[in-house]
């Protein structure tokens, strides 16, 4: 169950490609909290110029994933555990809304994809998978639900806060026995969305986000 969070898409602009690549490295802590960001080195690693990287870093700063200081440079933001409650509060309000809207608005191909994802999880053995691969899969599932909700503004906000929540999770990943249970929770949620059951979808989304916070708190 290995899924990259930013699949290569040939039609993306260089700036968008840089943004997605750097965003996912920051989310998964491949760029560690507090690390200095060297735009020249990043541009070389991505095989692009510095201008697209700088444009991407400006967007990442608005996402609260990097921070820039005059005459000091740009750094990956620290992960502040005191923000967990605030992030969870927003997600507990908006994740059910997105799930309910997805159940109502998803197209037939989207519903088929959700059924396939649910079946994939149900027949797999998440406990045997790498923890980081499971987190990448979690990101993929959430982003597809947000897209199916059919509200670009809601999607943008939820991606931002899911990214921040994932950073917190990745920082304590070695303190959690497994995230397999968190992944298997998606089965009923995806099936409910595919069936068009908005209220059940919203309730399962709320339970999923609430369980996330409880799991994190047990590791702190």
């Amino acid at each position: 169950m290995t899924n990259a969070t930013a699949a290569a898409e040939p039609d993306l602009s260089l700036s968008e490609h840089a943004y997605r690549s750097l965003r996912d490295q920051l989310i998964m802590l491949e760029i560690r909290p507090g690390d200095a960001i060297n735009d020249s080195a990043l541009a070389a690693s991505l095989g692009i110029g510095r201008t697209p990287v700088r444009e991407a870093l400006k967007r990442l700063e608005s996402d609260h994933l990097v921070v820039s200081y005059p005459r000091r440079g740009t750094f990956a933001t620290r992960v502040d555990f005191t923000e967990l409650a605030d992030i969870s509060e927003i997600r507990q309000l908006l994740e059910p809304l997105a799930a309910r809207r997805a159940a109502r608005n998803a197209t037939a191909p989207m519903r088929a994809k959700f059924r396939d994802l649910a079946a994939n999880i149900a027949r797999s053995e998440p406990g045997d998978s790498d923890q980081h691969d499971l987190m990448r899969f979690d990101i993929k599932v959430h982003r597809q639900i947000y897209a199916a909700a059919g509200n670009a503004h809601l999607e943008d906000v939820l991606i931002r806060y899911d990214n921040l929540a994932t950073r917190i999770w990745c920082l304590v990943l070695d303190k959690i026995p497994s995230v397999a249970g968190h992944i298997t929770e998606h089965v009923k949620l995806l099936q409910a969305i595919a069936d068009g059951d908005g209220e059940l979808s919203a309730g399962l989304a709320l339970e999923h986000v609430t369980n996330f916070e409880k799991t994190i708190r047990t590791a702190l």
Side-chain angles (χ1 to χ4, degrees):
M1 190 184 294
T2 58
N3 293 278
T5 50
E9 296 183 43
D11 57 338
L12 293 180
S13 68
L14 291 178
S15 176
E16 184 68 19
H17 170 66
Y19 171 74
R20 295 190 185 192
S21 178
L22 296 176
R23 178 192 65 187
D24 293 338
Q25 290 181 60
L26 288 158
I27 294 168
M28 298 304 299
L29 305 189
E30 293 165 7
I31 299 176
R32 300 291 298 177
D35 278 359
I37 306 292
N38 185 313
D39 57 3
S40 296
L42 287 173
S45 70
L46 294 171
I48 60 178
R50 293 172 65 185
T51 298
V53 171
R54 288 174 175 171
E55 292 172 352
L57 289 174
K58 288 179 181 178
R59 292 176 62 188
L60 291 165
E61 187 162 15
S62 69
D63 289 343
H64 305 291
L65 293 174
V66 304
V67 59
S68 296
Y69 299 102
R71 297 180 296 279
R72 286 183 55 198
T74 302
F75 301 82
T77 54
R78 303 281 183 182
V79 175
D80 186 352
F81 290 113
T82 64
E83 294 182 348
L84 176 61
D86 291 339
I87 292 170
S88 295
E89 182 178 31
I90 293 169
R91 296 185 72 216
Q92 286 165 1
L93 289 170
L94 297 185
E95 292 274 356
L97 173 61
R100 184 183 293 110
R101 286 182 58 89
R104 184 177 72 225
N105 298 329
T107 63
M110 286 176 174
R111 294 182 196 279
K113 181 176 289 187
F114 288 143
R115 292 189 195 282
D116 288 343
L117 276 171
N120 179 24
I121 299 169
R123 66 172 171 259
S124 67
E125 296 291 340
D128 297 332
S129 300
D130 177 81
Q131 295 273 74
H132 288 87
D133 286 341
L134 291 176
M135 291 310 305
R136 291 185 180 93
F137 185 79
D138 181 76
I139 293 170
K140 175 183 177 179
V141 172
H142 280 274
R143 288 181 184 171
Q144 292 192 357
I145 292 173
Y146 305 157
N151 183 323
H153 299 289
L154 177 63
E155 181 180 4
D156 182 64
V157 171
L158 277 170
I159 287 175
R160 177 176 297 185
Y161 284 97
D162 184 55
N163 290 345
L164 296 175
T166 300
R167 290 188 89 215
I168 293 175
W169 197 315
C170 286
L171 200 62
V172 299
L173 208 53
D174 60 345
K175 299 178 182 178
I176 299 171
S178 174
V179 295
H182 182 74
I183 298 302
T184 56
E185 287 177 4
H186 288 119
V187 174
K188 290 182 179 179
L189 173 58
L190 291 168
Q191 290 173 339
I193 293 173
D195 291 342
D197 191 331
E199 291 311 306
L200 178 58
S201 298
L204 290 170
L206 176 59
E207 180 181 0
H208 182 68
V209 175
T210 302
N211 287 343
F212 159 80
E213 183 179 11
K214 288 179 180 177
T215 301
I216 295 298
R217 292 199 180 282
T218 62
L220 296 180

